Amino acid sequence: MNNVEHDYIIEEQVGYLLRRVYYHHLSIFQQSLDETRLTSVQFAVLYAVNKLKECSQKELVEDTGIDQATIRGIIQRLKDKQLISQDPDQHDKRKVLIHMTAQGKEELDLAIPIAETITDLTLNTLNPAEKIALKFLLQKIIGHQA
């Protein structure tokens, strides 16, 4: 293998920076949500179930961006915690619908005010204009209109 120098610096690459910011955000999320029983992805799924009212696993994948294999485990853990339930669709017995339980609603109601502060904590080194610009650019990258 030859010893050719490259101008490539991993610390300047988008993927590297996004991953570091994501782990920074997850650390803040977990520290902030310690009083709940939720991880960040469990919170996202529970929030989506509440928003959608009743939904299929496929709809959760589409709404959260979490892959099919991962979402199955998250659904099972939320069921084990009795935060969601699954019931056969009345119109299509092959389809299973996911619903929020009363306990799930209580847990979400406890977590949302905490979650509202997590973005602020993650972005606390940015000024207001930078925060707006960053959110706009991230939404643009994933194809959502701001």
Side-chain angles (χ1 to χ4, degrees):
M1 187 181 268
N2 58 12
N3 224 357
V4 178
E5 285 195 36
H6 295 279
D7 292 334
Y8 184 89
I9 301 169
I10 196 166
E11 293 84 2
E12 294 177 358
Q13 304 307 308
V14 171
Y16 175 87
L17 294 169
L18 288 172
R19 186 174 53 258
R20 293 293 304 263
V21 169
Y22 178 68
Y23 287 130
H24 171 68
H25 176 74
L26 278 183
S27 172
I28 292 168
F29 200 103
Q30 286 314 126
Q31 289 171 5
S32 300
L33 275 184
D34 263 355
E35 63 192 76
T36 73
R37 302 178 297 151
L38 300 172
T39 65
S40 61
V41 290
Q42 289 172 355
F43 172 80
V45 170
L46 196 60
Y47 180 88
V49 170
N50 187 62
K51 178 177 74 172
L52 298 170
K53 302 299 178 218
E54 72 174 14
C55 58
S56 67
Q57 187 171 303
K58 181 178 184 276
E59 290 169 313
L60 279 179
V61 167
E62 291 168 1
D63 191 77
T64 62
I66 298 169
D67 66 87
Q68 189 79 26
T70 303
I71 205 115
R72 276 194 294 271
I74 296 166
I75 289 169
Q76 188 58 55
R77 285 186 283 287
L78 291 173
K79 277 179 50 182
D80 292 346
K81 293 178 181 184
Q82 300 177 340
L83 302 179
I84 61 171
S85 64
Q86 288 182 299
D87 302 298
D89 186 329
Q90 297 297 326
H91 306 293
D92 181 354
K93 297 295 182 196
R94 297 168 296 168
K95 188 175 179 183
V96 175
L97 295 177
I98 301 163
H99 306 270
M100 179 80 72
T101 65
Q103 191 173 340
K105 183 73 171 124
E106 287 176 19
E107 193 77 18
L108 188 62
D109 288 345
L110 174 66
I112 284 177
I114 299 165
E116 289 174 333
T117 66
I118 292 169
T119 294
D120 292 334
L121 292 170
T122 301
L123 303 179
N124 71 353
T125 59
L126 303 179
N127 68 44
E130 290 169 331
K131 290 176 186 179
I132 291 168
L134 178 63
K135 288 179 191 176
F136 173 82
L137 293 171
L138 291 172
Q139 289 171 335
K140 187 173 182 179
I141 288 171
I142 62 171
H144 293 179
Q145 296 299 327

